[in-house]
Amino acid sequence: MNSIASPFPDAAAVIVAYRNLNLVGGERVPVAAGLDVLNPATGAVLGQAAASKAAETNAAVEAAKAAGAAWAAMPARERGKRVASAGRALAEHAELVAQVLARETGKAIRTECRGEVAVSADIMEFYSGLGSELKGETIPFNPRMLTMTVREPLGVVAAIVPWNVPLVLMMLKIAPALVAGNTVVVKASEEAPFATYLAAEIVMDHLPAGVLNVINGTGPDCGAALTAHPDVAKITFTGSEAVGETVYKAAAERIVPASLELGGKSPMIICADADLTKAVVGAISGMRFTRQGQSCTASSRMYVHDSLYDGFLAALTAKLDRLVIGDPLDEATDIGTIINAKQAKVVADYVAMAEAAPGAKVVRCGKMPEGAGLSPDLFAQPTLLLGLPEDHPCVQNEIFGPVAVIQPWSDYEDVIARANDSRYGLAATVWTQSLSMALDATSRLNAGYVQVNQNLTIQPNVSYGGFGRSGLGKEASLEAMLAHFTRSKTIVMNFD
Ligand code: NAD
């Protein structure tokens, strides 16, 4: 393989090098057809990535299958050591990977991209130590028989990732899958594939050929071929609710397990006794304003107690006004661009819908950037929507932009009911100084990841995953590795 050990001079060289390629069987494999990847900040073509069809997708699955037996036979701790060294190598190349990521996602290099690479390497380090936790049980079935369970890898795992946090979401899949003895085919996001390729190739350098493979293409051509492949034993998907449904149907047709990390519309409840300063900071990080709100976990429904409502709004707008929207590569930038024109229109349409609602108010914060070459249509100001009824589409649907709904509340029972009035159930936060209120609210909120007085992103060792239409299964933990990347075999031995 044309190894990553001969480093690329810069991000532009990476994008050129991965033109119309897949990474399959330890090789850079040319693909006949390509698709344009745009620079979200300018709208210009950034590079061309592979547009894999069924034939190229099948080749990747075959390579993963061929590598499977030897990888599964390797002692689990040895697999973990390979994953550990791969994670260290990723950390060594962090700046280059972050530079590529910023160019293709439009996320700001300082506030988002460097952190994403660091978390990705941390996830690898976390999972690398868990090989010895792939334990089964002995069962007291009959004292004259040995009855036990053992954990086995599943086989070829298809890992499908979106564009918003592509590296972290890829690592949450490949690190546990590999340590558990599976081989993997990653389907990169066609909107932002290059950093995924670079990070994966750095990892591949530490693995036998074919254990990890990366392909790119559109959902209907490449993703669908992958989920339909008879040798794919497990599908792990992160993306939208609509595509998640399609992927789950494909898994059902072949009766293979699927884990789904989908969208969200997560509530943030600020109680009368909350620390207002901390809550405002938490609202900005929780809504992921520096990621243009493009986060499944975004605290996009903020329920603020009547007594704090005016102060909260004033402090939040003042802080948001100070965030710099601009060129993702500029170190001064806090907020970059929306991923593409289509998504920018979705965001603008939701805001227009809110503006048209009787009694509603729209507060736009910050200033649109004016830099030369920047495409103004692709930037969006942090926007707060006030005075909307609970059944309004802006309150019910995931907007996936820097748009938060702010709702006052006075009755605790009512706010819990409003927070739970959602088809999603990914995350929730509660802000209070009262332990009893925190215990009560956390037990009643219908969400898979509930935090009190903080708004952290995904953390290794802390199980993460949603309820309802937010998906199925967990990521980021030992529980996730055992539940989603192994199967349990029961063995009963009788030598009587
Ligand atoms: P998307 O669903 O459009 O695409 C995700 C991936 O699925 C892409 O790689 C795409 O090519 C592929 N795909 C599309 N059609 C397919 C098909 N028929 N078969 C197989 N694969 C197919 O999502 P997106 O726009 O890239 O990402 C944004 C969405 O991801 C948001 O809804 C967000 O909430 C969600 N998300 C969820 C989490 C989580 O952990 N819950 C994290 C990040 C993003």
Side-chain angles (χ1 to χ4, degrees):
M1 178 177 228
N2 190 353
S3 167
I4 199 66
S6 51
F8 297 102
D10 56 26
V14 173
I15 292 164
V16 170
Y18 289 137
R19 185 184 167 86
N20 295 11
L21 283 183
N22 282 337
L23 303 173
V24 172
E27 302 290 334
R28 292 181 177 175
V29 179
V31 174
L35 51 82
D36 285 343
V37 177
L38 304 183
N39 175 340
T42 62
V45 175
L46 183 68
Q48 216 181 27
S52 307
K53 305 276 192 300
E56 290 92 2
T57 306
N58 295 348
V61 177
E62 281 155 25
K65 191 180 176 197
W71 182 247
M74 187 183 282
R77 286 202 58 218
E78 182 55 34
R79 291 194 299 260
K81 285 178 191 168
R82 305 291 186 100
V83 170
S85 58
R88 285 193 295 274
L90 179 62
E92 279 161 25
H93 293 276
E95 183 61 21
L96 181 66
V97 181
Q99 290 288 341
V100 177
L101 189 64
R103 280 165 175 78
E104 63 185 359
T105 61
K107 297 194 296 183
I109 182 81
R110 178 178 55 82
T111 55
E112 290 291 328
C113 294
R114 291 195 183 107
E116 176 168 353
V117 184
V119 173
S120 303
D122 191 33
I123 291 166
M124 302 211 73
E125 185 190 327
F126 165 69
Y127 274 114
S128 69
L130 297 186
S132 45
E133 295 300 319
L134 294 158
K135 297 169 188 162
E137 294 174 322
T138 53
I139 297 161
F141 168 55
N142 179 329
R144 300 185 62 79
M145 293 179 197
L146 176 59
T147 305
M148 61 185 181
T149 59
V150 292
R151 291 200 174 267
E152 298 180 340
L154 295 164
V156 178
V157 170
I160 301 176
V161 294
W163 47 263
N164 65 326
V165 209
L167 302 181
V168 164
L169 300 172
M170 172 172 70
M171 290 314 171
L172 287 173
K173 300 177 185 327
I174 69 175
L178 294 174
V179 171
N182 305 278
T183 56
V184 182
V185 177
V186 173
K187 160 43 192 107
S189 165
E190 64 272 41
E191 302 288 342
F194 296 120
T196 302
Y197 271 61
L198 177 58
E201 199 173 29
I202 291 167
V203 173
M204 279 173 211
D205 232 16
H206 299 258
L207 303 173
V211 166
L212 175 62
N213 308 273
V214 182
I215 57 177
N216 187 63
T218 66
D221 284 342
C222 175
L226 185 58
T227 57
H229 197 290
D231 287 328
V232 166
K234 155 86 190 183
I235 303 168
T236 169
F237 171 85
T238 300
S240 62
E241 185 187 350
V243 177
E245 203 177 302
T246 305
V247 166
Y248 200 31
K249 283 178 186 154
E253 272 172 24
R254 294 193 301 105
I255 318 204
V256 293
S259 20
L260 306 171
E261 295 290 344
L262 310 178
K265 191 76 184 179
S266 298
M268 170 174 182
I269 299 177
I270 300 171
C271 301
D273 66 345
D275 180 323
L276 186 62
T277 308
K278 285 186 183 163
V280 170
V281 172
I284 292 173
S285 64
M287 184 52 220
R288 313 282 189 263
F289 278 113
T290 60
R291 200 186 296 158
Q292 299 77 262
Q294 299 171 143
S295 164
C296 51
T297 331
S299 302
S300 49
R301 290 186 292 146
M302 300 179 188
Y303 294 98
V304 188
H305 191 267
D306 269 341
S307 60
L308 297 181
Y309 185 84
D310 290 342
F312 176 81
L313 199 56
L316 182 61
T317 28
K319 272 195 177 297
L320 289 174
D321 277 338
R322 286 199 290 274
L323 295 180
V324 177
I325 309 172
D327 182 350
L329 299 177
D330 188 333
E331 296 289 338
T333 295
D334 295 300
I335 299 179
T337 66
I338 301 291
I339 185 72
N340 57 32
K342 189 171 154 222
Q343 182 58 22
K345 183 170 180 326
V346 168
V347 174
D349 286 352
Y350 270 114
V351 175
M353 213 187 301
E355 228 150 14
K361 188 174 168 202
V362 172
V363 180
R364 290 187 177 80
C365 306
K367 208 162 61 52
M368 288 297 262
E370 286 162 3
L374 299 179
S375 170
D377 299 348
L378 288 165
F379 289 87
Q381 289 163 272
T383 303
L384 309 177
L385 309 181
L386 317 178
L388 289 173
E390 287 292 326
D391 62 355
H392 192 277
C394 289
V395 185
Q396 290 297 325
N397 297 342
E398 181 184 58
I399 297 176
F400 226 59
V403 182
V405 174
I406 319 268
Q407 308 280 65
W409 68 272
S410 54
D411 180 76
Y412 176 70
E413 291 300 322
D414 179 56
V415 78
I416 293 288
R418 287 158 72 194
N420 283 339
D421 178 19
S422 171
R423 65 184 186 280
Y424 296 114
L426 191 50
T429 64
V430 185
W431 297 74
T432 177
Q433 308 288 339
S434 154
L435 178 60
S436 62
M437 187 170 275
L439 287 171
D440 186 75
T442 53
S443 72
R444 291 168 65 187
L445 284 167
N446 183 40
Y449 187 34
V450 186
Q451 299 180 70
V452 175
N453 297 332
Q454 64 171 23
N455 231 327
L456 295 180
T457 52
I458 295 174
Q459 307 289 312
N461 204 22
V462 180
S463 260
Y464 174 87
F467 298 160
R469 304 266 313 169
S470 290
L472 290 171
K474 296 288 179 191
E475 289 195 323
S477 58
L478 172 62
E479 172 198 357
M481 179 175 82
L482 298 178
H484 303 306
F485 296 107
T486 69
R487 61 185 187 186
S488 173
K489 179 183 280 177
T490 304
I491 300 171
V492 186
M493 294 189 194
N494 185 345
F495 289 101
D496 253 1

